[in-house]
Amino acid sequence: CNGRNISNSIAGGCTNDKDGPDYAARVGFDIQRGPVVFGVVGEFGRAEVRDFSTAFSTTPANYTFARDLRYNGNIRARVGYTPNNQTLFYVTGGGAYGRVRNYFQTSNGVNTFSAIQSDDAYGFTGGGGVEQKIGRNFSVGLEYLYTDLFTDRDRVRVGPNANPALTATNPFILGNASGTDMIRGDPHFRTHSGRVVATFRF
């Protein structure tokens, strides 16, 4: 299931992924040519989100992959239009980076499970927004961003138990005595973010 397990059986269902606040600091510049605005912005911050994916076996047992963003950033271009030099409507897009921390949990007490590590994930981000100028150097706005990061390090090696009696017919080691690797079916970490933006212009 696309979530975290509630019990050892798929019939028990799963919880949803964890949503949370997203906050970042940014720096950039704009160039205006008539009503058209071109710019570049770079930002760095953190998104308090966690992604789960769970599989089940007939043992019964559950196997849950979890990952969250330690911090993230992006560099992107933006193009906008201002009808009155006060309000700016824009689209934006560019490259994205995230430091992803991986977790693994299981109720399987027969096998051993290798540790998984943090991963540097790369991808893209895109969206749009609107800014309203307030005074000479200050503006506020609303922004939406979609981010897609690719991470394939959340791999778990399932190995044998020290007790041969518990592993002689174990399906994880029948094909390979050293164990079997489990990975997520989808290596993409996708997020949607709605933001309130405050900008000071020099």
Side-chain angles (χ1 to χ4, degrees), residues 5 34 42 45 58-59 66 79-80 86 91 106 110-112 124 135 162 172 177 189:
N5 68 290
T58 56
T59 314
V79 179
Q86 297 294 320
V91 294
T106 180
V110 176
N111 295 93
T112 58
F124 67 90
F172 286 108
F189 194 164

Side-chain angles (χ1 to χ4, degrees), residues 60 116 201:
I116 48 181
R201 299 180 178 276

Side-chain angles (χ1 to χ4, degrees), residues 4-188:
R4 187 173 185 174
N5 68 290
I6 296 176
S7 68
N8 285 343
S9 169
I10 186 64
C14 288
T15 62
N16 293 326
D17 294 334
K18 178 188 174 184
D19 298 327
D22 174 22
Y23 40 91
R26 62 173 62 179
V27 63
F29 68 89
D30 289 322
I31 299 174
Q32 185 172 347
R33 294 291 183 267
V36 179
V37 177
F38 304 90
V40 175
V41 60
E43 67 177 29
F44 186 84
R46 182 166 181 173
E48 301 284 351
V49 293
R50 184 171 292 178
D51 177 45
F52 298 99
S53 183
T54 302
F56 299 89
S57 64
T58 56
T59 314
N62 62 74
Y63 309 84
T64 300
F65 288 87
R67 57 190 176 187
D68 60 26
L69 283 174
R70 298 295 294 162
Y71 43 83
N72 61 313
N74 60 69
I75 299 177
R76 46 192 167 85
R78 71 175 190 168
V79 179
Y81 173 79
T82 175
N84 55 13
N85 289 326
Q86 297 294 320
T87 306
L88 174 66
F89 303 92
Y90 64 90
V91 294
T92 183
Y97 163 80
R99 182 65 174 174
V100 178
R101 182 171 57 178
N102 298 304
Y103 305 84
F104 179 76
Q105 295 177 327
T106 180
S107 61
N108 180 334
V110 176
N111 295 93
T112 58
F113 297 85
S114 64
I116 48 181
Q117 302 174 351
S118 297
D119 186 19
D120 292 316
Y122 299 90
F124 67 90
T125 187
V130 57
E131 281 189 19
Q132 178 63 46
K133 195 172 182 181
I134 301 176
R136 180 178 177 85
N137 300 104
F138 190 71
S139 64
V140 295
L142 298 175
E143 183 178 76
Y144 164 79
L145 284 181
Y146 168 79
T147 303
D148 187 342
L149 299 172
F150 181 84
T151 170
D152 60 356
R153 285 286 304 279
D154 46 353
R155 182 184 303 267
V156 176
R157 169 57 61 93
V158 187
N161 190 281
N163 185 347
L166 295 177
T167 59
T169 60
N170 191 281
F172 286 108
I173 61 171
L174 288 179
N176 183 351
S178 63
T180 299
D181 285 348
M182 293 199 308
I183 62 173
R184 283 176 174 265
D186 185 357
H188 294 270

